[in-house]
Amino acid sequence: MEKEFPTYIRNMNWKEKLKWKLLIIGAALVGILIVWCAGKAGEKQANAGKEILKEYALRENEWASAGTKFQPEQQAEEEHAQKQQEQTAQEDSQQTQSAAADVQETYGKGPDIKVLLMTSGYQSYFHEQISLKVHGNYELEGAESQQIPDGEILTLDADSPQISDGTLSLKPLEEDSRIELLSIERGQGNPRYRGSLTVYREEKGLRMVNTLPLEEYLCGVVPSEMPASYPEEALKAQAVCARTYASVQMQESKLEDLGAQVDDSVAFQVYQNSPEAESSTKAVENTAGKILLSDGAPICAYYFSTSHGKTSTDEVWEASAPSSYLQSVACSYDAAEPWYKWKVSVAKETVLSNVQKLYPEVKAVEALEIREKGEGDAVLKLAVHTDKGIKECRSEYDIRSLLAPVGATIIRQDGSEARGGTLLPSAYFDLQEQKNTEGVTEGWEISGGGYGHGVGMSQNGAKGMAAQGKNWEEILQYFYKDIEIGNLNQVVK
């Protein structure tokens, strides 16, 4: 055979030889494609966390602006006013609650949502160790099935026998059961979760997914995204926005490779950073199933902390096809909020350090130039004149990162001070060079307004509108144009 094969090859005509060559080349290409696809699949899972953490940086501290900056004295006054309002409108409230109960009974608790739980500080999806305490009785399904009694503490790591087959699930046996995660710190301390918890063992660590009905999920989202002390109608507007936003994320399932649809950070919506509250839970129940629709589909119901006098379109993210419902609208309802106007000075050395994170080759920053502002006055193009030429930034994330007032003192319109972080409070600003006596630029004074991306509903604007007697429908129809209020059952099964 060894002698016949070369002879056969020599005796083939050119057509036969060409056919065999094409077959060999085709087989090689198929092999390369298989290897490439395998590599991309791994890359997709590896990069999922990186993309989400970038989004986290984009929106970091926006809730803090609406929440922790809320002064205790102001909170007490508003709570008192809210109680008086509730007393004078008790009959209307009872009628509303009755109608809401009817709606909830028809709608139910909605579809289940899967939430990926991050480590303390929202640093990673993978936990080295998990410690939890059950409040209520649970069924454990893992290497072996067993019942976990009320008050039991369970500690898991990669070598735990309960997870020897790679997966462990805890399912509640009573409706009011909760899982307290002792190994996670949030704003409320150790968070407590409704629903079931599934733990996956992987090379990078343990991954946790909380599965629960959407309406119960929202009870942990609304107080984490808007202070529970805010007026009732503002909380209702927030609940509808949160439900709408979640429905879009459930359909997109960006974290499908990680066994979830959303995570619990601001990359999606903050979940269980603040404890559930009666006022916010009531807002969820009274709007059960309600979402915002445009042409029969859920909108991207973006929201942010505080405006600077108007909102923006999604042009701030260079949207290829601007959304019709995200229009720029005037907003003076949050004009009394501290973040409505602010000012900060950023040193030249700080700007250089920020620039070098994007452009490592740059050794000097010579000037900054605002080249374009959008319909809502957001800076859309910022030119940085450097020793390596002009670097033009177009994304909101890059612009706010380049001018991040790290360690500087931000003066808000009420005279209060805030420490600058890794992002400028917003992209709504003007620049003024600061020079020394010799005329050399030492930095820039940035005069700005608002907190957050400025697209969609201003949460403090909603608070102001509610204080003036506007209801949740009026609030939402003001910030989102040409929308309908529909039911989640119309789009999510």
Side-chain angles (χ1 to χ4, degrees):
M1 288 296 292
E2 292 180 358
K3 294 182 179 179
E4 292 177 2
F5 184 73
T7 302
Y8 169 71
I9 295 295
R10 286 196 299 271
N11 290 338
M12 284 195 303
N13 59 40
W14 69 273
K15 291 183 178 180
E16 291 175 318
K17 290 180 178 179
L18 179 60
K19 179 181 72 174
W20 280 102
K21 287 180 180 179
L22 291 174
L23 285 172
I24 292 170
I25 293 171
L29 290 174
V30 169
I32 292 171
L33 182 61
I34 291 172
V35 173
W36 181 83
C37 288
K40 292 301 287 184
E43 180 183 345
K44 182 179 179 181
Q45 181 169 358
N47 287 338
K50 294 179 181 178
E51 290 301 313
I52 294 307
L53 290 176
K54 179 177 178 180
E55 288 299 313
Y56 172 71
L58 175 64
R59 296 176 57 198
E60 68 174 350
N61 291 332
E62 289 183 23
W63 179 87
S65 168
T68 58
K69 302 303 179 186
F70 199 68
Q71 300 299 322
E73 296 82 4
Q74 181 182 1
Q75 179 174 346
E77 291 175 3
E78 292 198 6
E79 286 178 348
H80 178 67
Q82 185 175 346
K83 287 180 181 178
Q84 288 185 325
Q85 184 179 7
E86 289 176 355
Q87 290 174 356
T88 57
Q90 186 174 5
E91 292 183 3
D92 291 341
S93 176
Q94 289 175 347
Q95 293 176 358
T96 301
Q97 289 178 11
S98 177
D102 292 339
V103 171
Q104 180 125 29
E105 184 175 352
T106 302
Y107 167 69
K109 294 185 177 180
D112 282 352
I113 185 170
K114 296 182 177 182
V115 190
L116 190 62
L117 304 181
M118 301 184 72
T119 58
S120 298
Y122 304 102
Q123 296 298 310
S124 174
Y125 290 146
F126 300 99
H127 305 250
E128 291 184 7
Q129 186 182 74
I130 296 171
S131 179
L132 58 88
K133 181 179 181 180
V134 297
H135 298 270
N137 298 305
Y138 281 79
E139 184 71 26
L140 185 151
E141 298 178 359
E144 294 181 1
S145 295
Q146 64 183 95
Q147 186 169 323
I148 305 297
D150 178 34
E152 186 87 356
I153 293 178
L154 185 64
T155 301
L156 301 169
D157 57 32
D159 298 323
S160 297
Q162 300 98 322
I163 200 171
S164 59
D165 62 350
T167 305
L168 176 150
S169 293
L170 285 169
K171 298 181 179 180
L173 298 178
E174 296 99 16
E175 186 175 352
D176 60 349
S177 296
R178 300 288 187 273
I179 296 175
E180 181 181 5
L181 283 173
L182 306 177
S183 54
I184 290 181
E185 286 287 335
R186 295 286 187 256
Q188 62 170 297
N190 299 126
R192 297 189 179 195
Y193 297 92
R194 305 187 189 210
S196 63
L197 184 71
T198 304
V199 180
Y200 301 90
R201 187 182 63 191
E202 298 186 14
E203 290 185 4
K204 296 180 180 179
L206 302 178
R207 175 167 49 90
M208 283 192 291
V209 175
N210 179 208
T211 302
L212 73 167
L214 177 60
E215 295 299 308
E216 294 185 0
Y217 162 75
L218 294 174
C219 292
V221 168
V222 174
S224 295
E225 288 285 3
M226 176 180 278
S229 59
Y230 274 26
E232 179 181 357
E233 295 303 310
L235 289 169
K236 289 180 182 178
Q238 179 65 54
V240 175
C241 283
R243 186 181 294 108
T244 306
Y245 191 88
S247 71
V248 173
Q249 300 306 318
M250 290 170 71
Q251 289 177 305
E252 293 182 353
S253 289
K254 293 179 180 177
L255 300 180
E256 184 177 1
D257 289 346
L258 295 169
Q261 294 158 317
V262 298
D263 70 27
D264 60 346
S265 78
V266 292
F268 291 90
Q269 295 185 106
V270 181
Y271 168 58
Q272 291 295 359
N273 186 60
S274 296
E276 295 180 15
E278 182 179 352
S279 58
S280 51
T281 296
K282 178 181 174 183
V284 172
E285 293 172 348
N286 288 346
T287 60
K290 298 298 183 184
I291 60 172
L292 305 178
L293 302 173
S294 177
D295 295 327
I299 71 170
C300 289
Y302 298 114
Y303 51 87
F304 61 98
S305 169
T306 309
S307 83
H308 73 294
K310 61 177 71 172
T311 66
S312 281
T313 70
D314 45 359
E315 65 182 346
V316 300
W317 299 310
E318 299 182 277
S320 56
S323 302
S324 60
Y325 51 83
L326 294 175
Q327 299 179 20
S328 177
V329 300
C331 182
S332 59
Y333 295 103
D334 49 4
E337 295 294 324
W339 283 109
Y340 191 76
K341 299 294 180 186
W342 47 265
K343 185 177 294 186
V344 64
S345 293
V346 183
K348 193 173 183 179
E349 293 75 15
T350 300
V351 174
L352 174 60
S353 177
N354 295 338
V355 169
Q356 288 175 332
K357 294 175 183 177
L358 287 175
Y359 308 104
E361 72 278 8
V362 170
K363 302 301 179 186
V365 172
E366 299 162 358
L368 298 175
E369 175 192 359
I370 295 174
R371 288 191 168 178
E372 182 182 348
K373 286 190 175 184
E375 185 179 351
D377 295 336
V379 175
L380 302 182
K381 293 181 183 178
L382 178 70
V384 184
H385 297 257
T386 77
D387 60 319
K388 300 298 181 182
I390 297 176
K391 308 293 183 182
E392 188 174 80
C393 299
R394 295 171 176 265
S395 79
E396 187 217 9
Y397 174 78
D398 287 348
I399 291 171
R400 291 173 68 185
S401 295
L402 285 173
L403 298 179
V406 181
T409 299
I410 303 173
I411 308 297
R412 294 174 294 195
Q413 70 169 2
D414 64 347
S416 60
E417 298 180 354
R419 190 171 181 80
T422 57
L423 285 178
L424 198 65
S426 77
Y428 305 90
F429 61 85
D430 289 307
L431 292 171
Q432 179 67 46
E433 277 188 324
Q434 293 180 317
K435 298 183 178 182
N436 61 20
T437 55
E438 298 176 354
V440 177
T441 299
E442 293 186 328
W444 291 267
E445 182 180 78
I446 306 176
S447 301
Y451 199 110
H453 51 67
V455 181
M457 182 184 77
S458 163
Q459 293 170 304
N460 281 319
K463 169 190 166 188
M465 292 182 73
Q468 293 185 21
K470 305 293 184 183
N471 63 35
W472 66 271
E473 292 101 330
E474 292 173 315
I475 293 171
L476 294 174
Q477 288 169 346
Y478 181 80
F479 287 109
Y480 307 100
K481 299 304 180 183
D482 303 321
I483 57 165
E484 300 174 3
I485 297 174
N487 195 287
L488 184 68
N489 288 339
Q490 296 175 240
V491 291
V492 178
K493 303 300 180 184

